[in-house]
Amino acid sequence: MNPLSEIRARFSTTLSGMVDDPENLLSMIRPAGDSKFGDYQANCAMPLGKQLSRSPRDIATEICESVQLDDLCQKIEIAGPGFINLTIDDDWLKTGLTAALGDERLGVTRVTEPKTFVIDYSSPNVAKPMHVGHVRSTFIGDAISKVLRFVGHTAISDNHLGDWGTQFGMIIYGYKHFLNEAAYQKEPVAELGRLYKYVRKLMDYHAAVKRLPELETSQEELNSKQTELESTNVQGDKKAEKQLKKQLRQLKAKIGDQAEAVLALKAKIAEVDSDSGLAEDASAHPNINQNAQLETAALHEGDATNQGLWEEFLPLCRQDMQKIYDRLDIKFDYELGESFYHSELAKVVSDLTDKGYTKESDGAICVFLDNHNAPMIIQKRDGAYLYSTTDLATIKYRMEKWNADACLYVVDHRQSEHFEKLFDVARLWGFDEVELAHVAFGTVMGPDGKPYKTRSGDTVGLSGLLDEAESRALEIATNQNPDLTEDRHLEIANVIGIGGLKYADLSHNRGSDYEFNYEKMLALRGNTATYLQYSFARVQGILRRTEADVASIRTNPGEFIFENEVERQLGLKLIRFGEALDEVLVEYKPNVLCNYLFELSQLFAQFFDKCSVKDASSEDLKKSRLQLCDLTARTIRGGLELLGIGVLDKM
RNA sequence: GCACCCGUGGCUCAAUUGGAUAGAGCAUCGGUCUUCGGAACCGAGGGUUGGAGGUUCGAAUCCUCCCGGGUGUGCCA
């Protein structure tokens, strides 16, 4: 049991005697904001004072007299308007540490009421190369799944692959018209990838040719509007002047954006025009955009040829994708893609219609919701279904198959409105017991503060990203430790390269955008994976150097001794591993665990500096310090493991 | 137009969801140490949390308005 839950349990008894619902008050017990106030603080006396119209300090006194804390806290103080400051008792702490030492779970107790979570993450489109945008979903989802499992929940990870979408129409079209048979025999996935990109280029070309004149016209309009605004005379009227300025500024920004868009379109056109083969195919396939769509439609309608091709392509594409997951060491319990649900979609619509929740509008079948202007469309005018339909079928399946208590969707924050609607419709449909949560995350930004793109404006491919991270890591590993063998260098590069990438992502609050930066990601200092991995390796160094018998330390521990203040701080931090994990799950935020591990490593560095193990003044003290070392190493390793990050004994 | 999100030292980010003097890491400057792994430790400077009001014992956090930025917005996923 971690100190926080223990304190809350003790307070619970007292507070339930004072109010009906103590839950809210209990959440006001938390780690002290400043260590000079002690280890924990209870802030519940202030609101309680207000509620009961009494002096908060009196209430605080009353609470302190009633709560049973003798063994748990060595100091209890009331401060300021009514803060209750608590300092954990050293003996209690030492007992906890001793227990953690002999426990594989480091003293972290399992939840008393395990739940079943379905976590939907990663979800790339197969047959399209994975890119930097898939990184966050994959890492965050994986970390949350692991933490859920560790604390005792059932976590079912499900990779909801996009394996039924328009990209297959494109590939099928490409296969039928542009296939290089020899290349396909030799390296099928590479050839399919080429076909996808090839068709994409041709489609983009035609779309650009069509769009360009419209854009140029609108550009002219904007320009003339700018001239008009610039010549408007509003002198004397300050308010109008200000408004005009604002309008002009916004207009200029829009013109800039459009100019960029025009350039991008022109580039796409030029790319095709400058290549005689592409140009020829472009003019030979003027209706490629519509025809590719028709191939998709044919696939969905069960056309034998297309169905056969899809069945041929899919395993190849999935195999290819698996390579990336293997490099990242990410595994899923299930990979039920969109195709898995396609036979259920008609039933979703008919069922919702039978229950009277749908309405036809402009030929489409919709569910209208009170708190949204636009309805959720579940069947298009042409009869085709949408991803909202698939998502509904998926919820139904997950409830029937796994009876989930919660479904978490680790998806980019731009889809928040979609999920609001989806969850509303699901509840309307009858799935109102399950917790449905959109675990949203921000965008990965480039150094220019805009979404991370290559210089040519394309999204950044994931496999290239991993290559770059590992090759930079290799350079660092080689420079830092030239004596090691090349194999060792490669192993280190893999662990710190991939680990650095994951940690850079996970250590940011998932809700915020963050800037992608190789240097910072792999920096040897600061809040990075390398710093934590280095701390771990240093502990291993101590254990090696002192020839410590770790097994016997765990089974036959000696007393913990806090000779130096930092030893106590380190011990307290160690015992709070479980608190950090609980906190991660409150809002599904892995960065809480990152912060915890970083702070732990910083405390260890101080301990390392001040408290020599090798030259400890007595055997008892040396043993106590070895115990702290062992716990530190196991906590860092265990914590990083939950984040999907590895460690090395030597690096 | 409407809806949602964001704005925190020079830079990159935290802040346990309303708690005490807003914390880290880079960078800058200074210091420790003949290292149980220097990929270390200690210290200093640097902030009106975009601005103005309001709510209360207490606000980066909640409310209103303004400024600036982003995202989404009826048949893509």
Side-chain angles (χ1 to χ4, degrees):
Chain A
M1 179 88 95
N2 60 60
L4 184 58
S5 3
E6 187 67 41
I7 294 171
R8 283 185 177 156
R10 309 278 179 101
F11 270 73
S12 176
T13 323
T14 298
L15 290 175
S16 5
M18 302 172 82
V19 292
D20 293 338
D21 180 23
E23 271 310 308
N24 190 30
L25 294 174
L26 286 173
S27 73
M28 291 178 183
I29 304 171
R30 57 179 50 149
D34 189 326
S35 59
K36 78 177 181 203
F37 298 129
D39 300 324
Y40 291 88
Q41 59 183 47
N43 302 336
C44 46
M46 279 87 78
L48 203 52
K50 183 157 213 174
Q51 198 180 321
L52 304 176
S53 309
R54 289 177 47 198
S55 144
R57 283 195 73 109
D58 286 352
I59 303 237
T61 312
E62 199 176 310
I63 292 173
C64 290
E65 278 165 1
S66 158
V67 181
Q68 185 15 264
L69 292 169
D70 293 348
D71 59 320
L72 184 56
C73 297
Q74 61 194 24
K75 201 165 98 185
I76 302 163
E77 276 179 338
I78 298 168
F83 293 105
I84 302 172
N85 293 330
L86 306 166
T87 304
I88 294 294
D89 184 75
D90 280 359
D91 289 333
W92 189 91
L93 176 55
K94 289 171 184 175
T95 309
L97 287 170
T98 308
L101 199 61
D103 180 8
E104 272 186 13
R105 299 176 51 80
L106 297 161
V108 178
T109 46
R110 288 193 172 79
V111 288
T112 48
E113 292 172 20
K115 292 182 182 169
T116 299
F117 287 78
V118 177
I119 304 109
D120 182 321
Y121 63 97
S122 197
S123 314
N125 287 318
V126 296
K128 284 202 231 173
M130 280 174 86
H131 57 82
V132 65
H134 296 109
V135 151
R136 299 203 81 179
S137 173
T138 307
F139 295 166
I140 295 169
D142 188 53
I144 291 171
S145 307
K146 287 182 164 132
V147 174
L148 282 169
R149 278 184 204 123
F150 186 76
V151 304
H153 293 295
T154 300
I156 298 167
S157 58
D158 185 8
N159 190 4
H160 191 68
L161 300 168
D163 60 359
W164 196 238
T166 50
Q167 80 270 30
F168 278 101
M170 291 161 67
I171 295 174
I172 289 170
Y173 188 92
Y175 185 91
K176 288 179 179 174
H177 298 92
F178 309 117
L179 181 70
N180 177 336
E181 185 66 46
Y184 186 64
Q185 289 308 325
K186 205 171 159 213
E187 282 189 76
V189 182
E191 175 61 7
L192 290 179
R194 185 193 69 86
L195 288 173
Y196 171 76
K197 282 184 208 148
Y198 198 77
V199 174
R200 169 98 265 163
K201 265 184 203 160
L202 296 178
M203 286 173 68
D204 284 351
Y205 172 81
H206 286 295
V209 168
K210 192 176 161 205
R211 177 87 180 111
L212 192 57
E214 296 168 19
L215 212 55
E216 279 171 338
T217 316
S218 119
Q219 229 181 348
E220 279 167 32
E221 282 168 13
L222 288 178
N223 281 332
S224 61
K225 193 168 177 195
Q226 186 185 355
T227 330
E228 183 192 323
L229 281 181
E230 274 167 347
S231 60
T232 311
N233 191 343
V234 285
Q235 269 197 351
D237 186 343
K238 275 209 169 148
K239 203 175 163 188
E241 208 173 318
K242 218 172 136 189
Q243 261 193 351
L244 189 68
K245 258 191 179 168
K246 186 179 165 181
Q247 277 179 352
L248 258 173
R249 200 175 49 236
Q250 287 177 343
L251 193 64
K252 277 181 184 165
K254 207 168 170 183
I255 290 172
D257 287 351
Q258 282 220 349
E260 257 179 55
V262 167
L263 281 181
L265 290 185
K266 283 185 173 163
K268 298 224 158 164
I269 294 171
E271 195 186 349
V272 171
D273 283 343
S274 65
D275 181 317
S276 59
L278 270 169
E280 215 171 284
D281 281 333
S283 63
H285 297 264
N287 298 319
I288 188 169
N289 297 43
Q290 299 88 309
N291 290 335
Q293 267 183 42
L294 290 176
E295 297 291 4
T296 310
L299 170 66
H300 289 180
E301 280 153 22
D303 173 86
T305 310
N306 285 10
Q307 183 85 30
L309 287 174
W310 181 80
E311 278 165 15
E312 185 178 328
F313 298 158
L314 190 63
L316 300 172
C317 298
R318 289 179 66 148
Q319 242 170 40
D320 191 55
M321 215 168 54
Q322 191 56 42
K323 283 187 207 153
I324 297 250
Y325 287 128
D326 287 344
R327 281 183 82 177
L328 295 173
D329 194 24
I330 302 272
K331 296 180 183 67
F332 299 93
D333 298 322
Y334 293 88
E335 290 192 300
L336 304 177
E338 292 171 337
S339 64
F340 181 78
Y341 300 98
H342 82 269
S343 59
E344 301 301 309
L345 303 183
K347 262 187 269 175
V348 171
V349 176
S350 63
D351 196 34
L352 280 165
T353 303
D354 290 347
K355 291 188 166 137
Y357 298 131
T358 64
K359 209 175 191 176
E360 201 186 304
S361 171
D362 292 335
I365 299 183
C366 305
V367 181
F368 283 87
L369 298 158
D370 293 341
N371 43 356
H372 289 280
N373 281 332
M376 169 166 258
I377 300 175
I378 56 174
Q379 187 169 15
K380 299 202 290 187
R381 189 171 22 212
D382 66 6
Y385 303 103
L386 294 107
Y387 74 129
S388 51
T389 331
T390 310
D391 279 352
L392 286 166
T394 307
I395 291 179
K396 182 166 186 271
Y397 179 84
R398 287 172 178 168
M399 292 310 294
E400 286 169 357
K401 167 105 177 175
W402 296 308
N403 193 23
D405 296 297
C407 292
L408 309 183
Y409 294 82
V410 187
V411 181
D412 161 21
H413 70 315
R414 284 175 299 194
Q415 295 195 38
S416 56
E417 200 176 351
H418 164 69
F419 283 107
E420 281 170 28
K421 288 185 192 170
L422 176 69
F423 298 160
D424 280 352
V425 175
R427 281 186 276 265
L428 195 64
W429 200 15
F431 301 109
D432 47 5
E433 296 283 312
V434 58
E435 174 195 345
L436 296 166
H438 177 202
V439 179
F441 55 83
T443 311
V444 181
M445 301 300 215
D448 54 357
K450 289 180 182 164
Y452 192 40
K453 294 273 168 64
T454 62
R455 240 168 276 142
S456 57
D458 297 323
T459 50
V460 179
L462 191 45
S463 64
L465 194 90
L466 300 184
D467 292 343
E468 177 80 18
E470 287 195 83
S471 82
R472 285 176 184 243
L474 181 62
E475 200 184 321
I476 292 169
T478 315
N479 288 341
Q480 288 292 330
N481 245 326
D483 300 338
L484 298 175
T485 64
E486 199 190 329
D487 280 358
R488 283 286 297 153
H489 285 149
L490 284 169
E491 187 193 346
I492 295 170
N494 175 267
V495 174
I496 66 176
I498 303 294
L501 180 68
K502 288 190 183 183
Y503 193 86
D505 201 291
L506 293 168
S507 61
H508 291 103
N509 184 326
R510 65 171 165 79
S512 335
D513 298 343
Y514 79 94
E515 188 181 306
F516 186 87
N517 183 315
Y518 285 111
E519 276 88 29
K520 277 185 187 157
M521 187 174 97
L522 295 169
L524 303 172
R525 35 183 73 203
N527 189 0
T528 62
T530 359
Y531 179 78
L532 306 191
Q533 288 163 328
Y534 169 67
S535 306
F536 176 83
R538 284 219 300 184
V539 187
Q540 296 308 311
I542 294 178
L543 298 178
R544 268 198 308 277
R545 186 69 181 256
T546 55
E547 295 177 348
D549 180 354
V550 176
S552 101
I553 285 174
R554 292 176 195 166
T555 48
N556 275 314
E559 201 200 336
F560 279 91
I561 300 165
F562 299 149
E563 193 205 50
N564 190 301
E565 172 60 22
V566 74
E567 292 174 276
R568 182 186 185 276
Q569 285 175 28
L570 182 60
L572 182 63
K573 198 73 184 175
L574 286 165
I575 209 70
R576 293 178 50 188
F577 183 42
E579 280 178 33
L581 299 182
D582 287 348
E583 174 112 17
V584 167
L585 295 179
V586 172
E587 289 201 327
Y588 311 115
K589 283 160 84 163
N591 70 311
V592 172
L593 179 53
C594 295
N595 289 339
Y596 168 82
L597 293 172
F598 179 54
E599 284 164 13
L600 174 63
S601 297
Q602 283 182 313
L603 280 173
F604 174 74
Q606 288 174 39
F607 164 83
F608 182 89
D609 200 52
K610 290 189 184 126
C611 307
S612 172
V613 178
K614 191 182 57 168
D615 301 324
S617 57
S618 72
E619 279 306 306
D620 288 346
L621 185 59
K622 183 174 174 182
K623 189 163 189 191
S624 165
R625 288 179 175 171
L626 278 172
Q627 291 169 179
L628 286 172
C629 285
D630 183 49
L631 276 174
T632 302
R634 289 160 66 196
T635 307
I636 292 177
R637 185 178 54 210
L640 284 176
E641 216 167 81
L642 293 177
L643 298 170
I645 299 170
V647 290
L648 297 155
D649 285 354
K650 293 183 186 172
M651 56 189 273

